[in-house]
Amino acid sequence: DHPIFIMASNNDENIAMLMSMGFGKDQSSHALDACSSLERAIELLLSGGIGVGVGAGGQDRNAHDACTQSSISSVHSETSQYSNDLGRSACTSIALTMACHFLSRMRTHADPGEIIDSNFLSESIQEGIRMYRDISSNVNGVEHSSVEELLNACTASGSNSTIAKHITSSLTLLDSSPRQGILSNSSDNPMGLETVLSRCQADAVDSRSNIAAVLTKPPETVLVILPGTGGHPSTNAYVLLDSHPRPQQLPPHFPMGSYALFHSSLESLVASVKQIFPPTELGSDVPEMMAMMYNSFDAYPFQHK
């Protein structure tokens, strides 16, 4: 049985409990700020979502303000997948929901910034969690469902999820999917993140339309938006959308809830993704195949049908 952690009314008591488990004071405080319960805060700390040794830097973390630095602008929402007890393992479902809503709305909008705001993040997270709940019986009880498992569940007969039906009717998975890659510090790795995302753009059925690529590095999933290679300049934003809070990562934004980061280039987007999915050097004593598996990721690029 799992232990039950009760959130104390006094935040100092909650911090003290987390510190007694070996977490730092700043880590504990940020985790409690980001989560709705003590149990969720512990899970966030254990998952590595709260880093060690990186200060908050005194940044303004207003959930609904956008900030710009080094050509990267951000949109934040106080809502994250940890705001709901059912959301801790729903990041893949949330990413698919965001992809569906974004690509559908881009049919009537020219600028991704007109679509992605704090309400878009919050609503997509809540709807993605509902989809995860509604179709969980169709994924054989797997806690962290893969994209394939969720897509199969969306098409299963008897699914009552509205967003699941919308995903089935509006999204098309591009050929050669998923594209598998290896996180690497080398910019010329033929399976590196930048190369894989470039190939997702090249695979587009409609070169004028955006691609929404679901990136999975178990147990976490995020969404990236890529412009079409023949699209209008107004659509040329490279966007990272993430339902996880990263209060100790991605300076100067330090998102306390969900967030979207807008980049002007693929290189800049890749740099942000590598902050949350950093390549890990395991040492010369670790077999090369094992090291590759540890740094592997999958990209599932979608366009609107």
Side-chain angles (χ1 to χ4, degrees), residues 1-8 14 17-18 20-21 23 32 36-43 46 85 88:
D1 293 339
H2 296 288
I4 297 175
F5 300 98
I6 305 299
M7 181 82 88
N14 296 318
M17 179 176 291
L18 292 176
S20 71
M21 299 172 67
F23 301 112
L32 289 166
S36 61
S37 70
L38 186 59
E39 186 174 3
R40 296 287 85 77
I42 293 170
E43 289 177 351
L46 291 174
D85 287 347
R88 63 178 185 172

Side-chain angles (χ1 to χ4, degrees), residues 44 128 136 215 241 250:
L44 180 59
S136 59
L215 292 184
L241 298 99
L250 296 164

Side-chain angles (χ1 to χ4, degrees), residues 106 109-112 201 204 206-211 226-238 303:
M106 276 300 290
H109 291 75
D111 182 359
Q201 289 179 285
D206 181 356
S207 64
R208 298 168 299 174
S209 300
N210 293 86
I211 300 97
L226 307 170
T229 56
H232 190 274
S234 64
T235 68
N236 285 348
Y238 296 81
Q303 283 194 297

Side-chain angles (χ1 to χ4, degrees), residues 3-297:
I4 297 175
F5 300 98
I6 305 299
M7 181 82 88
S9 57
N10 186 328
N11 201 48
D12 289 341
E13 294 179 19
N14 296 318
I15 292 175
M17 179 176 291
L18 292 176
M19 290 178 66
S20 71
M21 299 172 67
F23 301 112
K25 183 175 181 180
D26 288 343
Q27 284 180 284
S28 301
S29 178
H30 291 312
L32 289 166
D33 288 342
C35 299
S36 61
S37 70
L38 186 59
E39 186 174 3
R40 296 287 85 77
I42 293 170
E43 289 177 351
L44 180 59
L45 287 163
L46 291 174
S47 72
I50 304 291
V52 181
V54 181
Q59 301 293 331
D60 179 7
R61 297 177 178 176
N62 189 304
H64 302 291
D65 286 347
C67 59
T68 304
Q69 178 151 331
S70 301
S71 75
I72 300 176
S73 62
S74 67
V75 171
H76 296 236
S77 170
E78 294 176 351
T79 303
S80 78
Q81 67 184 70
Y82 296 106
S83 300
N84 186 313
D85 287 347
L86 296 175
R88 63 178 185 172
S89 302
C91 53
T92 305
S93 176
I94 292 168
L96 279 172
T97 302
M98 288 180 174
C100 181
H101 286 325
F102 174 80
L103 293 176
S104 295
R105 295 177 190 180
M106 276 300 290
R107 294 170 67 82
T108 56
H109 291 75
D111 182 359
E114 296 175 354
I115 297 172
I116 302 171
D117 56 17
S118 59
N119 288 331
F120 175 90
L121 294 171
S122 177
E123 291 169 3
S124 295
I125 287 172
Q126 294 172 34
E127 193 164 7
I129 292 173
R130 286 197 294 271
M131 182 178 81
Y132 176 80
R133 177 200 63 196
D134 292 344
I135 68 177
S136 59
S137 60
N138 293 325
V139 292
N140 299 320
V142 177
E143 185 174 12
H144 292 280
S145 304
S146 68
V147 173
E148 291 95 341
E149 288 167 334
L150 287 171
L151 291 177
N152 289 336
C154 286
T155 58
S157 60
S159 174
N160 294 319
S161 171
T162 301
I163 185 60
K165 295 176 181 178
H166 192 192
I167 287 172
T168 302
S169 63
S170 63
L171 293 187
T172 182
L173 186 61
L174 301 183
D175 291 341
S176 303
S177 298
R179 283 203 168 272
Q180 297 179 323
I182 305 294
L183 294 168
S184 170
N185 290 316
S186 174
S187 60
D188 59 356
N189 188 322
M191 294 187 69
L193 182 58
E194 188 165 353
T195 300
V196 169
L197 294 181
S198 294
R199 288 174 178 166
C200 290
Q201 289 179 285
D203 288 340
V205 175
D206 181 356
S207 64
R208 298 168 299 174
S209 300
N210 293 86
I211 300 97
V214 177
L215 292 184
T216 297
K217 185 182 186 302
E220 294 187 346
T221 299
V222 299
L223 180 71
V224 298
I225 302 299
L226 307 170
T229 56
H232 190 274
S234 64
T235 68
N236 285 348
Y238 296 81
V239 191
L240 167 63
L241 298 99
D242 188 2
S243 57
H244 304 82
R246 311 278 183 183
Q248 298 281 354
Q249 296 175 291
L250 296 164
H253 311 285
F254 300 105
M256 295 292 292
S258 58
Y259 64 91
L261 298 184
F262 294 78
H263 309 75
S264 59
S265 69
L266 178 59
E267 181 182 12
S268 178
L269 170 67
V270 167
S272 288
V273 174
K274 284 186 176 180
Q275 289 189 58
I276 58 176
F277 295 156
T280 302
E281 300 291 343
L282 298 180
S284 58
D285 57 330
V286 177
E288 182 179 2
M289 185 60 68
M290 183 178 296
M292 290 176 63
M293 291 177 62
Y294 188 85
N295 284 293
S296 66
F297 68 91

